[in-house]
Amino acid sequence: MASPSLPLLLTLLFLTSSLSFSNGEDTFPTQQGHPHPHLHHGTANHNYRDALSKSLIFFEGQRSGRLPPNQRLKWRRDSGLSDGSAMHVDLIGGYYDAGDNVKFGFPMAFTATMLSWSVIEFGGLMKGELQNAREAIRWATDYLLKATAHPNTVYVQVGDANKDHACWERPEDMDTPRTVYKIDPSTPGSDVAAETAAALAAASLAFRRSDPSYSKLLLNRAIRVFEFADKYRGAYSNGLKADVCPFYCSYSGYQDELLWGAAWLHKATRNPTYLNYIQVNGHTLGAGEMDNTFGWDNKHVGARILLSKAFLVQNVKSLHDYKGHADDYICSLIPGKPFSQTQYTPGGLLYKMSDSNMQYVTSTSFLLLTYAKYLTTSSKVVTCGGTTVSPKTLRIIAKKQVDYLLGDNPLRMSYMVGYGLRYPKRIHHRGSSLPSMAAHPGKIQCSSGFSAMSTALPNPNVLVGAVVGGPDANDRFPDQRSDYEQSEPATYINAPLVGALAYLAHSSGQL
């Protein structure tokens, strides 16, 4: 395992504020007593503001449903306009998760949660991009409200994934079955239901100031959906295994989502019921487990970081243990230290697994910056055995990861489409790889699209802002459309990156 040393990381030192920022939901006084302290800006390796803008444009390329007049990616058109009709329910809208045309509720909800968390922590830094970020959240939450309209029911998927994956066609041409899948008391799904509750609760905070009535609607629904998740316990991939696996199987179980959902409802409601729920159930739901991978499937680490804030910033003493749990996770990431448990590529990229590794790079970077914010606000540090790690070090590590993603890597390639001079041109994405409706109004049949999938030509439509799965363990990236592990973008790769880019753009004086 090749890890970059801490001295190497320190050469990337950039001066970040020792103070906290917010979008107004979580305003805490700084040491000088000013809500917006003067920043001493460090040098920027990249145009983070441009990357932030592009990272949000990407979500418009993933939209399903009727597109609005202000749609910026013009090569996309309306799609999925009869979704839900098979079950006499309106399920139009939402996002396609990645390069296919299925709407998977589990990763969509996680995407909404992480976009919302990005706005909650760093929305105050986003300036003109804040409205675009809220629109990206709302495209998901409007759909999640439809999917949870009936009590004790959550519609968790639209589209037969196996049949969809047997075709290579534009979403505008879809003729594969738009089968609807749901969870209910007889087919429970605590994982996807609790993640949906988390998304609705987090979004309620993101909209609390700008749209109070929408915020209240989201929160009331979150409460109801969480009750369903907790009362009827089970993993959704048990009852729906043939339809959701291996695509978005709940490998980690549903306990992590129950803890995560309760943490978000505690934050959004400040109702002691949720704090009590966390105190009583936290241990059995895995609060102390050493599963240090945060993504669409496993939420334990995110819950630890989120709950540590209640202890660090709001001084909720009963959540003291979550500071220790969060520190354990952070310690596992520090490269070149004996307590590190994380693999890095020779070029310095955090490496978890071959399939869509960049999702762990973006989610980890977000958690590092967010925890650094909480520690700074409370004048605390991370304790790793006998070693202390400062918030500044966490920011350095996060910045190094984002910089690698944007082009500071052995291939000098940006892994964000449309950013920089060199980026992936043959991404695994149906709509991007096939001629647009404007260029080819006639229908492209299911199987005939595969000729475009196998060609070496660049994709005709640029999916601006899409972050792909990324390089392998040795920093290699073939840029092949057929290689979905490395070349497919996904909404849950971009969502946590939005917050990280907002922070980096602001700290380097670009916002």
Side-chain angles (χ1 to χ4, degrees), residues 44-127:
N45 300 37
H46 288 283
N47 187 338
Y48 302 113
R49 182 175 189 161
D50 180 53
L52 171 63
S53 177
K54 288 179 163 73
S55 73
L56 288 164
I57 290 173
F58 160 72
F59 289 96
E60 299 186 19
Q62 297 302 110
R63 284 170 168 170
S64 181
R66 198 173 298 283
L67 302 183
N70 64 351
Q71 170 80 12
R72 290 179 287 179
L73 285 182
K74 300 296 186 185
W75 53 266
R76 281 296 323 281
R77 295 285 190 273
D78 297 348
S79 62
L81 298 183
S82 62
D83 282 0
S85 60
M87 298 274 283
H88 307 290
V89 60
D90 175 7
L91 294 176
I92 299 167
Y95 289 117
Y96 304 116
D97 68 300
D100 54 34
N101 301 324
V102 184
K103 295 194 303 208
F104 294 98
F106 198 18
M108 195 193 309
F110 178 69
T111 294
T113 308
M114 294 310 296
L115 279 171
S116 298
W117 201 0
S118 290
V119 165
I120 291 163
E121 298 298 345
F122 304 113
L125 314 181
M126 290 181 185
K127 302 284 179 67

Side-chain angles (χ1 to χ4, degrees), residues 12 86 109 155 201 274 297 352 354 391 402 410 440 453 463 486 497:
L12 293 162
Y155 294 96
Y274 296 106
D297 183 36
K352 285 281 184 183
S354 61
V402 175
H440 189 291
M453 203 270 265
L463 185 56
Q486 292 182 252
L497 183 61

Side-chain angles (χ1 to χ4, degrees), residues 245-265:
C245 297
F247 313 102
Y248 291 102
C249 250
S250 183
Y251 299 103
S252 69
Y254 60 80
Q255 291 82 359
D256 53 309
E257 278 84 19
L258 287 175
L259 183 62
W260 173 243
W264 276 109
L265 278 159

Side-chain angles (χ1 to χ4, degrees), residues 414-473:
S414 157
Y415 290 101
M416 176 185 283
V417 174
Y419 176 87
L421 298 175
R422 189 170 181 226
Y423 52 82
K425 299 286 177 33
R426 287 167 283 276
I427 67 172
H428 183 94
H429 189 278
R430 288 155 177 76
S432 171
S433 68
L434 291 162
S436 67
M437 297 294 289
H440 189 291
K443 184 178 174 67
I444 299 173
Q445 299 292 339
C446 162
S447 57
S448 61
F450 281 107
S451 61
M453 203 270 265
S454 56
T455 179
L457 293 171
N459 287 11
N461 308 308
V462 180
L463 185 56
V464 174
V467 179
V468 297
D472 67 12

Side-chain angles (χ1 to χ4, degrees), residues 16 19 83 206 242-243 283 354 364 373 390 401 437 449 504:
T16 56
L19 306 166
D83 282 0
D243 306 299
H283 184 70
S354 61
T364 301
K373 177 185 167 183
S390 70
Q401 293 303 306
M437 297 294 289
L504 291 170

